[in-house]
Amino acid sequence: MKTGAKKPTWVIDKERARRAEAKETVWLFGIHAVRDALVNPARERLRLVVTKNAFDRLADAIAASGMEPEIVDPRKFDVPIDEGSVHQGAALEARPLNWGKLADVAISGAGAPLVVLLDRVTDPHNVGAVLRSAEVFGARAVIAPRHHSAPETGALAKTASGALERQPYLRVTNLADAMVELKEMGYVLIGLDGDGTVPLAEAMAGVGTRPVGLVLGAEGPGLRDKTRETCDVIARIPFAGEFGSLNVSNAAAVGLYAASQR
Protein backbone atom coordinates (compact mmCIF):
# COMPACT_ATOMS: atom_id res chain seq x y z
CA MET A 1 0.00 0.00 0.00
CA LYS A 2 1.40 3.43 -0.97
CA THR A 3 2.16 5.97 1.76
CA GLY A 4 -0.89 8.17 2.27
CA ALA A 5 -3.17 5.78 0.39
CA LYS A 6 -6.61 5.33 1.85
CA LYS A 7 -7.12 2.09 3.76
CA PRO A 8 -9.74 -0.33 2.42
CA THR A 9 -13.05 -0.27 4.28
CA TRP A 10 -12.59 -3.84 5.54
CA VAL A 11 -9.25 -2.91 7.13
CA ILE A 12 -10.79 0.12 8.86
CA ASP A 13 -13.71 -1.99 10.13
CA LYS A 14 -11.34 -4.66 11.45
CA GLU A 15 -9.20 -2.12 13.29
CA ARG A 16 -12.29 -0.44 14.74
CA ALA A 17 -13.61 -3.80 15.98
CA ARG A 18 -10.27 -4.57 17.65
CA ARG A 19 -10.26 -1.21 19.44
CA ALA A 20 -13.84 -1.72 20.62
CA GLU A 21 -13.01 -5.23 21.82
CA ALA A 22 -10.01 -3.96 23.77
CA LYS A 23 -12.30 -1.55 25.67
CA GLU A 24 -15.01 -4.16 26.29
CA THR A 25 -15.72 -5.19 29.86
CA VAL A 26 -18.03 -7.74 31.46
CA TRP A 27 -19.70 -7.73 34.88
CA LEU A 28 -19.45 -11.11 36.62
CA PHE A 29 -21.70 -11.75 39.58
CA GLY A 30 -22.41 -14.39 42.19
CA ILE A 31 -20.05 -15.78 44.84
CA HIS A 32 -18.69 -18.71 42.79
CA ALA A 33 -18.16 -16.78 39.56
CA VAL A 34 -16.51 -13.84 41.33
CA ARG A 35 -14.30 -16.02 43.52
CA ASP A 36 -12.97 -17.98 40.55
CA ALA A 37 -12.33 -14.79 38.57
CA LEU A 38 -10.46 -13.26 41.53
CA VAL A 39 -8.02 -16.17 41.72
CA ASN A 40 -7.57 -16.51 37.95
CA PRO A 41 -4.22 -14.89 37.06
CA ALA A 42 -5.29 -14.62 33.40
CA ARG A 43 -8.29 -12.44 34.25
CA GLU A 44 -7.80 -8.66 34.05
CA ARG A 45 -9.94 -7.26 36.89
CA LEU A 46 -11.09 -3.65 37.09
CA ARG A 47 -13.65 -3.11 39.84
CA LEU A 48 -15.01 -5.22 42.70
CA VAL A 49 -18.28 -4.36 44.46
CA VAL A 50 -19.34 -6.46 47.47
CA THR A 51 -21.57 -6.34 50.50
CA LYS A 52 -20.04 -6.96 53.94
CA ASN A 53 -21.42 -10.50 53.96
CA ALA A 54 -19.97 -11.26 50.51
CA PHE A 55 -16.65 -9.70 51.53
CA ASP A 56 -16.43 -12.08 54.48
CA ARG A 57 -17.15 -15.07 52.21
CA LEU A 58 -14.60 -13.94 49.61
CA ALA A 59 -11.92 -12.62 51.97
CA ASP A 60 -9.20 -15.11 50.95
CA ALA A 61 -9.82 -14.66 47.22
CA ILE A 62 -9.90 -10.86 47.55
CA ALA A 63 -6.61 -10.89 49.45
CA ALA A 64 -5.03 -13.14 46.80
CA SER A 65 -6.21 -10.84 44.00
CA GLY A 66 -4.74 -7.70 45.56
CA MET A 67 -7.91 -5.77 44.71
CA GLU A 68 -9.36 -3.01 46.86
CA PRO A 69 -13.10 -3.79 47.05
CA GLU A 70 -15.94 -1.32 47.31
CA ILE A 71 -18.04 -2.46 50.27
CA VAL A 72 -21.63 -1.27 49.87
CA ASP A 73 -24.95 -1.49 51.63
CA PRO A 74 -27.06 -4.40 50.23
CA ARG A 75 -29.87 -1.92 49.58
CA LYS A 76 -27.56 0.23 47.43
CA PHE A 77 -25.98 -2.45 45.28
CA ASP A 78 -25.73 -0.24 42.21
CA VAL A 79 -23.89 -2.07 39.42
CA PRO A 80 -24.91 -2.43 35.73
CA ILE A 81 -26.29 -5.96 35.77
CA ASP A 82 -29.79 -7.12 34.83
CA GLU A 83 -32.44 -6.43 37.43
CA GLY A 84 -33.31 -9.63 39.20
CA SER A 85 -29.85 -11.18 38.75
CA VAL A 86 -28.94 -13.31 41.76
CA HIS A 87 -25.66 -11.54 42.53
CA GLN A 88 -25.34 -12.71 46.17
CA GLY A 89 -23.78 -9.36 47.03
CA ALA A 90 -20.74 -9.73 44.75
CA ALA A 91 -20.01 -8.23 41.33
CA LEU A 92 -16.74 -7.87 39.45
CA GLU A 93 -16.02 -5.77 36.37
CA ALA A 94 -13.36 -7.44 34.23
CA ARG A 95 -12.01 -7.81 30.70
CA PRO A 96 -13.16 -10.82 28.67
CA LEU A 97 -10.65 -13.68 28.67
CA ASN A 98 -8.35 -14.19 25.69
CA TRP A 99 -7.66 -17.88 25.12
CA GLY A 100 -5.45 -17.38 22.08
CA LYS A 101 -5.59 -19.13 18.72
CA LEU A 102 -7.71 -22.13 17.84
CA ALA A 103 -4.72 -24.13 16.59
CA ASP A 104 -2.75 -23.63 19.80
CA VAL A 105 -5.63 -24.73 22.02
CA ALA A 106 -6.81 -27.62 19.81
CA ILE A 107 -3.36 -29.11 19.24
CA SER A 108 -1.50 -28.55 22.50
CA GLY A 109 -4.12 -27.36 24.99
CA ALA A 110 -4.77 -29.06 28.31
CA GLY A 111 -7.06 -32.07 28.42
CA ALA A 112 -8.00 -34.69 25.87
CA PRO A 113 -8.06 -33.93 22.11
CA LEU A 114 -11.77 -33.18 22.33
CA VAL A 115 -13.65 -29.98 21.52
CA VAL A 116 -17.28 -28.87 21.37
CA LEU A 117 -18.55 -26.61 18.57
CA LEU A 118 -21.79 -24.69 19.05
CA ASP A 119 -23.64 -23.51 15.96
CA ARG A 120 -25.51 -20.29 16.87
CA VAL A 121 -26.34 -21.28 20.44
CA THR A 122 -27.30 -17.91 21.89
CA ASP A 123 -28.73 -18.82 25.32
CA PRO A 124 -26.03 -17.99 27.92
CA HIS A 125 -27.46 -20.56 30.34
CA ASN A 126 -27.04 -23.34 27.75
CA VAL A 127 -23.50 -22.24 26.90
CA GLY A 128 -22.61 -21.96 30.58
CA ALA A 129 -23.86 -25.50 31.17
CA VAL A 130 -21.87 -26.77 28.16
CA LEU A 131 -18.71 -25.13 29.53
CA ARG A 132 -19.28 -26.85 32.86
CA SER A 133 -19.69 -30.25 31.19
CA ALA A 134 -16.67 -29.63 28.95
CA GLU A 135 -14.53 -29.01 32.02
CA VAL A 136 -15.86 -32.11 33.80
CA PHE A 137 -15.05 -34.37 30.85
CA GLY A 138 -11.69 -32.76 30.05
CA ALA A 139 -12.39 -31.09 26.70
CA ARG A 140 -9.83 -28.65 25.32
CA ALA A 141 -12.27 -25.97 24.20
CA VAL A 142 -15.82 -24.91 23.49
CA ILE A 143 -15.95 -23.07 20.16
CA ALA A 144 -18.66 -20.76 18.84
CA PRO A 145 -18.99 -18.10 16.12
CA ARG A 146 -18.24 -14.56 17.24
CA HIS A 147 -21.64 -13.40 15.99
CA HIS A 148 -24.93 -15.16 16.74
CA SER A 149 -23.61 -16.87 19.87
CA ALA A 150 -23.70 -16.20 23.59
CA PRO A 151 -20.98 -13.71 24.55
CA GLU A 152 -19.11 -13.85 27.85
CA THR A 153 -21.62 -12.44 30.36
CA GLY A 154 -22.38 -12.61 34.04
CA ALA A 155 -25.31 -14.96 33.41
CA LEU A 156 -23.09 -17.31 31.41
CA ALA A 157 -20.37 -17.23 34.06
CA LYS A 158 -22.83 -17.91 36.88
CA THR A 159 -24.33 -20.91 35.06
CA ALA A 160 -20.82 -22.22 34.32
CA SER A 161 -20.14 -22.11 38.07
CA GLY A 162 -16.50 -21.14 37.67
CA ALA A 163 -15.78 -23.19 34.53
CA LEU A 164 -15.56 -20.01 32.44
CA GLU A 165 -12.27 -19.18 34.18
CA ARG A 166 -10.71 -22.55 33.38
CA GLN A 167 -12.42 -23.92 30.27
CA PRO A 168 -11.39 -22.21 27.00
CA TYR A 169 -14.35 -20.57 25.26
CA LEU A 170 -13.19 -19.53 21.79
CA ARG A 171 -15.34 -17.35 19.60
CA VAL A 172 -14.22 -17.56 15.98
CA THR A 173 -14.97 -15.43 12.94
CA ASN A 174 -16.45 -18.27 10.89
CA LEU A 175 -17.53 -21.61 12.37
CA ALA A 176 -17.28 -23.57 9.09
CA ASP A 177 -13.72 -22.30 8.55
CA ALA A 178 -12.81 -23.34 12.11
CA MET A 179 -14.27 -26.78 11.41
CA VAL A 180 -12.14 -27.15 8.27
CA GLU A 181 -9.08 -26.07 10.27
CA LEU A 182 -9.81 -28.71 12.91
CA LYS A 183 -10.20 -31.39 10.24
CA GLU A 184 -6.80 -30.42 8.85
CA MET A 185 -5.41 -30.98 12.38
CA GLY A 186 -6.80 -34.52 12.34
CA TYR A 187 -10.09 -33.98 14.19
CA VAL A 188 -13.14 -36.04 13.26
CA LEU A 189 -16.27 -33.89 13.45
CA ILE A 190 -19.41 -35.59 14.74
CA GLY A 191 -22.61 -33.58 14.40
CA LEU A 192 -25.35 -34.42 16.91
CA ASP A 193 -28.88 -34.27 15.55
CA GLY A 194 -32.11 -36.16 16.10
CA ASP A 195 -32.12 -37.37 12.49
CA GLY A 196 -28.51 -38.57 12.53
CA THR A 197 -27.66 -41.48 10.25
CA VAL A 198 -25.94 -43.57 12.96
CA PRO A 199 -26.26 -43.92 16.75
CA LEU A 200 -23.71 -41.94 18.75
CA ALA A 201 -22.01 -45.09 20.09
CA GLU A 202 -21.45 -46.37 16.54
CA ALA A 203 -20.03 -43.02 15.43
CA MET A 204 -17.62 -43.01 18.39
CA ALA A 205 -16.53 -46.60 17.67
CA GLY A 206 -15.66 -45.57 14.13
CA VAL A 207 -13.45 -42.72 15.32
CA GLY A 208 -11.12 -44.89 17.37
CA THR A 209 -8.52 -42.81 19.19
CA ARG A 210 -8.52 -39.85 16.80
CA PRO A 211 -9.31 -36.33 18.10
CA VAL A 212 -13.04 -35.55 18.18
CA GLY A 213 -15.09 -32.41 17.66
CA LEU A 214 -18.73 -32.61 18.77
CA VAL A 215 -20.93 -30.21 16.78
CA LEU A 216 -24.30 -29.08 18.15
CA GLY A 217 -26.88 -26.64 16.84
CA ALA A 218 -29.33 -24.34 18.56
CA GLU A 219 -32.60 -25.78 19.81
CA GLY A 220 -35.19 -25.46 17.09
CA PRO A 221 -33.07 -24.61 14.03
CA GLY A 222 -30.48 -27.31 14.76
CA LEU A 223 -27.36 -27.50 12.60
CA ARG A 224 -27.23 -25.12 9.67
CA ASP A 225 -26.73 -26.66 6.22
CA LYS A 226 -23.11 -25.51 5.87
CA THR A 227 -22.27 -26.79 9.35
CA ARG A 228 -23.94 -30.13 8.66
CA GLU A 229 -22.11 -30.52 5.35
CA THR A 230 -18.75 -29.86 7.00
CA CYS A 231 -19.24 -32.61 9.62
CA ASP A 232 -17.75 -36.05 8.93
CA VAL A 233 -20.82 -37.84 10.27
CA ILE A 234 -24.19 -36.90 11.77
CA ALA A 235 -25.04 -39.04 14.79
CA ARG A 236 -28.14 -39.34 16.95
CA ILE A 237 -28.59 -40.02 20.63
CA PRO A 238 -31.07 -42.93 20.84
CA PHE A 239 -34.16 -42.47 23.00
CA ALA A 240 -36.37 -45.11 24.59
CA GLY A 241 -39.86 -43.88 23.71
CA GLU A 242 -41.59 -43.00 20.47
CA PHE A 243 -40.32 -39.47 20.77
CA GLY A 244 -37.52 -37.89 22.75
CA SER A 245 -35.20 -34.92 22.64
CA LEU A 246 -32.54 -33.30 24.79
CA ASN A 247 -31.68 -29.64 25.02
CA VAL A 248 -28.30 -28.65 23.64
CA SER A 249 -26.48 -28.63 26.98
CA ASN A 250 -27.76 -32.10 27.91
CA ALA A 251 -26.90 -33.46 24.46
CA ALA A 252 -23.40 -32.00 24.80
CA ALA A 253 -22.97 -33.71 28.17
CA VAL A 254 -24.01 -37.09 26.70
CA GLY A 255 -21.67 -36.62 23.74
CA LEU A 256 -18.76 -35.58 25.98
CA TYR A 257 -19.28 -38.60 28.20
CA ALA A 258 -19.36 -40.92 25.18
CA ALA A 259 -16.16 -39.39 23.80
CA SER A 260 -14.40 -39.62 27.16
CA GLN A 261 -15.15 -43.35 27.45
CA ARG A 262 -13.38 -44.39 24.24
Side-chain angles (χ1 to χ4, degrees):
M1 183 183 294
K2 295 181 181 179
T3 303
K6 186 177 180 181
K7 292 181 180 179
T9 301
W10 69 269
V11 173
I12 295 171
D13 290 343
K14 193 171 184 179
E15 290 176 349
R16 186 177 296 145
R18 283 177 178 169
R19 287 194 297 270
E21 194 170 300
K23 294 178 181 178
E24 183 183 353
T25 66
V26 57
W27 277 93
L28 307 176
F29 56 84
I31 294 295
H32 289 299
V34 170
R35 176 185 287 118
D36 286 312
L38 286 171
V39 299
N40 181 4
R43 176 69 81 173
E44 184 182 349
R45 301 171 291 265
L46 304 174
R47 182 184 172 202
L48 175 63
V49 181
V50 292
T51 61
K52 178 62 170 63
N53 180 58
F55 174 81
D56 291 340
R57 297 175 67 183
L58 294 168
D60 290 345
I62 292 172
S65 73
M67 291 195 75
E68 192 67 39
E70 300 172 32
I71 302 178
V72 300
D73 187 300
R75 294 165 295 183
K76 299 178 181 178
F77 199 80
D78 186 20
V79 296
I81 60 177
D82 290 341
E83 187 177 349
S85 297
V86 184
H87 54 71
Q88 299 173 294
L92 175 70
E93 184 182 17
R95 302 279 186 206
L97 289 165
N98 180 4
W99 291 101
K101 296 180 179 179
L102 172 62
D104 294 336
V105 175
I107 292 175
S108 57
L114 170 64
V115 298
V116 178
L117 299 106
L118 300 177
D119 186 12
R120 295 198 173 193
V121 178
T122 57
D123 185 338
H125 300 94
N126 272 331
V127 176
V130 171
L131 284 167
R132 194 171 181 179
S133 295
E135 181 183 30
V136 167
F137 293 109
R140 285 189 179 164
V142 175
I143 302 160
R146 186 171 298 279
H147 301 292
H148 306 292
S149 68
E152 187 175 321
T153 63
L156 187 154
K158 195 168 192 305
T159 306
S161 193
L164 179 63
E165 303 300 321
R166 300 177 295 270
Q167 177 64 53
Y169 179 41
L170 303 181
R171 298 177 69 214
V172 297
T173 303
N174 184 286
L175 189 66
D177 289 349
M179 292 172 69
V180 171
E181 188 177 350
L182 285 167
K183 291 171 80 167
E184 291 171 349
M185 297 178 210
Y187 276 77
V188 179
L189 302 184
I190 301 176
L192 292 181
D193 198 285
D195 62 0
T197 55
V198 297
L200 176 59
E202 184 178 326
M204 285 296 174
V207 170
T209 59
R210 287 176 290 174
V212 168
L214 297 170
V215 190
L216 299 99
E219 292 178 48
L223 298 172
R224 288 177 295 161
D225 290 344
K226 181 65 174 178
T227 306
R228 180 182 290 268
E229 291 164 7
T230 312
C231 290
D232 293 296
V233 62
I234 305 296
R236 66 181 182 276
I237 297 172
F239 49 87
E242 294 183 6
F243 173 80
S245 65
L246 295 171
N247 73 17
V248 64
S249 61
N250 288 334
V254 172
L256 285 161
Y257 174 77
S260 71
Q261 297 302 299
R262 290 178 296 154

